[in-house]
Amino acid sequence: MTTLRALIAAGLVVGVFGWAVAKLPPPPPMDDAAKAAAEEKKAKDAAASEAAKAAQARAEDRVAARYIAEQKAKGKVVTPQMGPTSQGAPAPAAKATPAKPTEKPVDKK
């Protein structure tokens, strides 16, 4: 019986909440000052995001360098596999050019 009451109460809460949200008026249009503030906030958030990415990349590089140094001290050879964060931005793909032979092959028969 208490489970049935809990389910009815939950359904009632969800229904009333949905009805209340549906009755809210749309937000007023933004004026020039609000638009400028929104653009400024977006620019600040982007700058903070870039700074956080750069800090993360530096931290990863420090950890990798320390690990490589520790393994080298133990006598183990570690070959790092650097990802796109090691250079900051991904480098553009270079076009592959076929190798030109410098000498003609000699046919020995």
Side-chain angles (χ1 to χ4, degrees):
M1 188 69 167
T2 57
T3 306
L4 181 62
R5 285 184 185 171
L7 288 175
I8 291 173
L12 186 60
V13 167
V14 168
V16 170
F17 180 75
W19 177 73
V21 169
K23 304 257 318 172
L24 290 176
M30 295 174 61
D31 59 351
D32 291 336
K35 287 180 185 178
E39 289 296 323
E40 184 178 328
K41 183 180 183 306
K42 187 187 295 185
K44 282 183 182 179
D45 289 346
S49 174
E50 288 299 320
K53 285 180 186 177
Q56 178 72 25
R58 286 192 309 270
E60 289 173 358
D61 289 342
R62 282 195 313 268
V63 169
R66 182 176 176 180
Y67 175 77
I68 291 169
E70 288 174 356
Q71 295 303 313
K72 189 175 183 180
K74 291 180 182 178
K76 296 180 183 178
V77 176
V78 177
T79 306
Q81 298 177 357
M82 297 299 185
T85 59
S86 63
Q87 290 86 21
K95 293 183 180 179
T97 56
K100 296 180 182 177
T102 55
E103 297 179 16
K104 293 183 179 180
V106 178
D107 208 13
K108 295 182 180 178
K109 290 186 181 180

